[in-house]
Amino acid sequence: MPIFLSRAQALSLDVLLSRINAQDVAWEIISANDSALPTIQGLSTLGAAGASDISFLANPSYQAQLSSTQAAAVIVAPEVEQALTSQARLPSFARVVTANPYLLYARLAQWFERIRQPVVAPGIHATAVVAADAVIAAGVSIGPHCVVESGARVGANTALGPGCVMGAGSALGADSRLYARVTLYPGVTVGARALIHAGVVLGADGFGLVPDPSLGKGGWGKIPQLGGLIIGDDVEIGANTTIDRGALEDTLIADGVKLDNQIMIAHNVRIGAHTAIAACVGIAGSTTIGQRCMIGGAAMISGHLTLTDDVHISGGTVIGSNISTAGRYTGVYPCASHQDWQRNAAVIQQLGQLRRRVRALEKG
Amino acid sequence: MPIFLSRAQALSLDVLLSRINAQDVAWEIISANDSALPTIQGLSTLGAAGASDISFLANPSYQAQLSSTQAAAVIVAPEVEQALTSQARLPSFARVVTANPYLLYARLAQWFERIRQPVVAPGIHATAVVAADAVIAAGVSIGPHCVVESGARVGANTALGPGCVMGAGSALGADSRLYARVTLYPGVTVGARALIHAGVVLGADGFGLVPDPSLGKGGWGKIPQLGGLIIGDDVEIGANTTIDRGALEDTLIADGVKLDNQIMIAHNVRIGAHTAIAACVGIAGSTTIGQRCMIGGAAMISGHLTLTDDVHISGGTVIGSNISTAGRYTGVYPCASHQDWQRNAAVIQQLGQLRRRVRALEKG
Amino acid sequence: MPIFLSRAQALSLDVLLSRINAQDVAWEIISANDSALPTIQGLSTLGAAGASDISFLANPSYQAQLSSTQAAAVIVAPEVEQALTSQARLPSFARVVTANPYLLYARLAQWFERIRQPVVAPGIHATAVVAADAVIAAGVSIGPHCVVESGARVGANTALGPGCVMGAGSALGADSRLYARVTLYPGVTVGARALIHAGVVLGADGFGLVPDPSLGKGGWGKIPQLGGLIIGDDVEIGANTTIDRGALEDTLIADGVKLDNQIMIAHNVRIGAHTAIAACVGIAGSTTIGQRCMIGGAAMISGHLTLTDDVHISGGTVIGSNISTAGRYTGVYPCASHQDWQRNAAVIQQLGQLRRRVRALEKG
């Protein structure tokens, strides 16, 4: 369905593939019924593809759609190509055979994205407020109504969307992109090639309180948050996510970390390289997450914990203790019809009693 | 307590009711003790109402408050009116008897809201940045520090609050209202009569990643999000909610959907007409929700699922599989005192063992 | 690690301590090995402190770090001082002995924070849009791209960061600080000494809906939110938190309440004085929370409930009924390896059956 190239811009399948980033990926093109290679204007799902689209099969559960797709070409794995050519009726689409169809699809999508995205012209919009001592590198674009405070630094070719705020002394690396209304508190540092979505808040105060008798019964004194927030290279941060600054030491997000929307990362958390975290996750203060972890949506991780590398947390799971062994962890009460749940929930609240009754039976 | 009309503006009860939207709702006015109808200045709860307020009884659990309310008039159901008039002491307030008191209250509140809300004067504020080729219909108001990019379209009588951003090619229908700092990414389409609260982000990238060996061990490549986001008519979206654009096809929010605050809707989700979703809910990618569903606060719904029409999910429930039958579903671990919970939680982690012990006992 | 004073600014330990807020806190300084008191430039953790830093020991689990810390001085409790001086090797750092090390650390941090924070010069930035009839007290700072609508009031010495919006008739007390992009809807009132972080939305509509047959099958009518939002003195609100206005009466946040990031508080909620709520918590409509409660991260509290004073809710817990006794409450399904969880979850869904089997065994 999405058409990205006009008919005049359409490219022959082989020419299109010659344009993409081909590092560490190889493929073979097989034409349909020995006919000429199709010309391609867009990229689509198997179900929605039209006669000028290329599509892909990465998830085996969609394999049945191969028999009805209208796509001009499909990226497939070798075993799928084998299955296709062993059928009586040969497929009507060209195939691009590769060991990793999902990666080749991503590379193609990256090419279409570059084509589609309007070039952001460098320059500082007339309505932006940029401190005289801010350091703005070459090729930078600063959008309308941005505020760049004293001593802030913006790396080469980085673009700030409308309404972004960079606090005093904050820094953004080169080739980064901030969408609208991103806020960096003073002193926050972000590396190169960052992609930060609208509404993100980086470096707000961590939640530090101390009971203070001078403030009356129950009164809380504030523990100022004197630490910083340091974010590595190649980090993506989804819309309305918040990452707090540290209390004394810094909150640290390593290179290649990927964060979805509405995530909350508290003060002094450390997240290892290439860890990916889905939406609505909360990580409490001073917890350390290893490298290459995957954390499912809405999982919640308590404070002062350590999770080792390569840990996979299922969505919705609450983690309350350290994890020192790689692997998958889950803790979600299974959903049921409300009636069944009422029955089970009643027993759950008497489990200790139930166990005692079993013990009594065992003792005869 | 809330007074909306000055004493001079006060309206006789019957005149007030003649002004509201009366479609599909009927009522009968019964004066108190055959006295004249009261004049009304405001609308309030039974507990807080004063002698110039109208109130309502929609929830039977508040019925006891009828004996002490100071309200001048109360909207009640026929059975409540019957109970009131069968008492020895007749009520001192006028009654508006109707089959659906909650609906009549809503219609009255809608009238007071229109009276109270200042008229937003059409026009583009001097500080707004509006592209020359944006299409702005008649009666539109664009607030201070808004940014409307190239090709964006705003329907008639729509109002944008301060600091809103409409990306290139995005569109808003007629008679809509955006509060402060709402962001539409490029190409996002919203229908007529939308009500969108502050901090909402529409059309940010979905969370699309692929392991990419060219980026080192554990490195993630980005899957560009080339799809769009299409939102129907009569949709309300609460503060700081985020809805992502699709990966290839569009994310779809149907007519009449109501979304509370801090909801997260991932890429390629489809939500059917008139579904209402309470705050803090997360819906993972490619899930389809039916029509007229109700989803309680903080529920989390996994990706690639299908929920049929008229499904009701209890608050806090995690949904991990398809639901093909209408009805209510729940899955929340029941809360207890911390001590009791510790006991039960210990048994929960040995349930398999407990079942084996019961089996052994059964075998004798 | 964090150095806040240059070498020239460094203060002798006793002079530094003479500068802090000493209300309700006392201490004794003990030099290391009878040497002179050290001069201090910064404040740090035991692990990261250097030779010009003061540190503290508040959490016994870090006590082992005393043997390796490089700190020049450490705040300790009397029993720790006793343990230190009973060792063969006396500590190389000066000690500040006090009954409440965490409070003394907080007071020191507060002093360093004041030193570090740049003074915000009063004045209204040229790009701010301030209504002619807004009431701006002395010493107020209004940052770039702020919008202050008609009749809004700002108390003395209050500072608004970039891009804040104060709706018509809203009010902020004295000595408050709003970071970037905070939104107050019309009529919202906030007390003195507020600290409100970026992206906060105060006073958006509560989620009020009524089935309205005139809108078709399943159609929802809107219940306008005519109430307000009143926030007391000394309240802190974390980034991207949202608090809705009331439906008819007001939403109320009492004095001294502390709210972390991404909290959602629905319409007509009342929160008692000095209650502290961690990140990602949701509180549904019309619930009343007592004074001095502590609510752990990601807890969810249903609507129309009452929680008494001094209730402590564990993180991740869902509260579905009233709590009338102070104490701690928990309800989290314990996490396990995915394999173990699958086994336990299967039994959970058959608990009613398991109980019946135990009953049958008991009956013999």
Side-chain angles (χ1 to χ4, degrees), chain C residues 120-124 135-142 154-160 173-175:
Chain C
V120 179
I124 298 178
V135 181
I136 313 295
V140 165
S141 165
I142 297 183
V154 185
N157 306 315
T158 283
L160 278 67
D175 301 310

Short mmCIF file of all heavy atoms in Angstrom, two decimals, chain C residues 120-124 135-142 154-160 173-175:
data_model
loop_
_atom_site.label_atom_id
_atom_site.label_comp_id
_atom_site.label_asym_id
_atom_site.label_seq_id
_atom_site.Cartn_x
_atom_site.Cartn_y
_atom_site.Cartn_z
N VAL C 120 18.53 32.36 39.06
CA VAL C 120 17.62 32.68 37.96
C VAL C 120 17.25 34.16 38.08
O VAL C 120 16.64 34.58 39.06
CB VAL C 120 16.35 31.81 38.02
CG1 VAL C 120 15.40 32.17 36.89
CG2 VAL C 120 16.72 30.33 37.97
N ALA C 121 17.65 34.93 37.10
CA ALA C 121 17.38 36.36 37.16
C ALA C 121 15.89 36.62 36.95
O ALA C 121 15.28 36.02 36.07
CB ALA C 121 18.19 37.08 36.10
N PRO C 122 15.29 37.46 37.76
CA PRO C 122 13.87 37.77 37.55
C PRO C 122 13.67 38.46 36.21
O PRO C 122 14.60 39.03 35.65
CB PRO C 122 13.54 38.74 38.70
CG PRO C 122 14.69 38.67 39.65
CD PRO C 122 15.89 38.24 38.86
N GLY C 123 12.45 38.38 35.73
CA GLY C 123 12.13 39.05 34.47
C GLY C 123 11.31 38.15 33.57
O GLY C 123 11.26 36.94 33.77
N ILE C 124 10.69 38.77 32.61
CA ILE C 124 9.86 38.05 31.65
C ILE C 124 10.59 38.03 30.32
O ILE C 124 10.92 39.09 29.77
CB ILE C 124 8.48 38.73 31.51
CG1 ILE C 124 7.77 38.70 32.87
CG2 ILE C 124 7.65 38.06 30.43
CD1 ILE C 124 6.42 39.41 32.87
N VAL C 135 -1.30 38.47 36.94
CA VAL C 135 -0.75 39.14 38.11
C VAL C 135 0.60 38.50 38.45
O VAL C 135 0.65 37.36 38.94
CB VAL C 135 -1.71 39.02 39.31
CG1 VAL C 135 -1.14 39.75 40.52
CG2 VAL C 135 -3.09 39.56 38.94
N ILE C 136 1.67 39.22 38.18
CA ILE C 136 3.02 38.67 38.34
C ILE C 136 3.68 39.39 39.52
O ILE C 136 3.90 40.59 39.48
CB ILE C 136 3.85 38.92 37.06
CG1 ILE C 136 3.05 38.52 35.80
CG2 ILE C 136 5.18 38.21 37.15
CD1 ILE C 136 2.74 37.07 35.68
N ALA C 137 4.02 38.61 40.57
CA ALA C 137 4.59 39.20 41.78
C ALA C 137 6.06 39.58 41.55
O ALA C 137 6.63 39.32 40.49
CB ALA C 137 4.46 38.22 42.95
N ALA C 138 6.67 40.16 42.59
CA ALA C 138 8.06 40.58 42.50
C ALA C 138 8.98 39.36 42.44
O ALA C 138 8.70 38.32 43.02
CB ALA C 138 8.43 41.42 43.72
N GLY C 139 10.08 39.50 41.72
CA GLY C 139 11.10 38.47 41.71
C GLY C 139 10.79 37.29 40.83
O GLY C 139 11.52 36.30 40.83
N VAL C 140 9.72 37.36 40.06
CA VAL C 140 9.31 36.23 39.22
C VAL C 140 10.16 36.18 37.96
O VAL C 140 10.49 37.21 37.37
CB VAL C 140 7.81 36.34 38.87
CG1 VAL C 140 7.43 35.41 37.72
CG2 VAL C 140 6.97 36.04 40.11
N SER C 141 10.48 34.96 37.52
CA SER C 141 11.14 34.76 36.25
C SER C 141 10.24 33.93 35.34
O SER C 141 9.79 32.86 35.74
CB SER C 141 12.47 34.02 36.47
OG SER C 141 12.96 33.52 35.25
N ILE C 142 9.99 34.42 34.16
CA ILE C 142 9.16 33.69 33.18
C ILE C 142 10.03 33.46 31.96
O ILE C 142 10.46 34.40 31.31
CB ILE C 142 7.88 34.47 32.86
CG1 ILE C 142 7.04 34.61 34.15
CG2 ILE C 142 7.09 33.79 31.76
CD1 ILE C 142 5.72 35.29 33.96
N VAL C 154 1.08 34.60 39.51
CA VAL C 154 2.36 33.95 39.82
C VAL C 154 2.92 34.61 41.07
O VAL C 154 3.12 35.83 41.11
CB VAL C 154 3.35 34.08 38.66
CG1 VAL C 154 4.63 33.30 38.97
CG2 VAL C 154 2.73 33.60 37.36
N GLY C 155 3.20 33.78 42.12
CA GLY C 155 3.68 34.30 43.40
C GLY C 155 5.13 34.74 43.35
O GLY C 155 5.89 34.39 42.43
N ALA C 156 5.54 35.47 44.39
CA ALA C 156 6.86 36.09 44.44
C ALA C 156 7.98 35.06 44.29
O ALA C 156 7.93 33.97 44.86
CB ALA C 156 7.01 36.85 45.75
N ASN C 157 8.97 35.44 43.52
CA ASN C 157 10.21 34.66 43.37
C ASN C 157 10.02 33.31 42.70
O ASN C 157 10.92 32.47 42.73
CB ASN C 157 10.90 34.44 44.73
CG ASN C 157 11.12 35.76 45.44
OD1 ASN C 157 11.57 36.71 44.83
ND2 ASN C 157 10.74 35.82 46.71
N THR C 158 8.88 33.10 42.11
CA THR C 158 8.63 31.84 41.39
C THR C 158 9.25 31.92 39.99
O THR C 158 9.27 32.98 39.38
CB THR C 158 7.12 31.57 41.36
OG1 THR C 158 6.75 31.08 42.65
CG2 THR C 158 6.73 30.56 40.29
N ALA C 159 9.77 30.77 39.53
CA ALA C 159 10.43 30.73 38.22
C ALA C 159 9.75 29.71 37.31
O ALA C 159 9.55 28.56 37.71
CB ALA C 159 11.90 30.37 38.38
N LEU C 160 9.41 30.13 36.11
CA LEU C 160 8.85 29.23 35.09
C LEU C 160 9.92 28.97 34.05
O LEU C 160 10.45 29.91 33.44
CB LEU C 160 7.65 29.87 34.40
CG LEU C 160 6.28 29.80 35.09
CD1 LEU C 160 6.26 30.63 36.35
CD2 LEU C 160 5.18 30.27 34.14
N GLY C 173 1.90 29.55 43.72
CA GLY C 173 2.35 30.23 44.92
C GLY C 173 3.76 30.78 44.79
O GLY C 173 4.41 30.66 43.75
N ALA C 174 4.24 31.34 45.90
CA ALA C 174 5.57 31.95 45.92
C ALA C 174 6.66 30.88 45.98
O ALA C 174 6.41 29.73 46.36
CB ALA C 174 5.68 32.86 47.13
N ASP C 175 7.85 31.30 45.59
CA ASP C 175 9.07 30.48 45.76
C ASP C 175 8.94 29.11 45.11
O ASP C 175 9.51 28.12 45.60
CB ASP C 175 9.40 30.31 47.25
CG ASP C 175 9.62 31.65 47.93
OD1 ASP C 175 10.39 32.45 47.40
OD2 ASP C 175 8.97 31.90 48.97
#
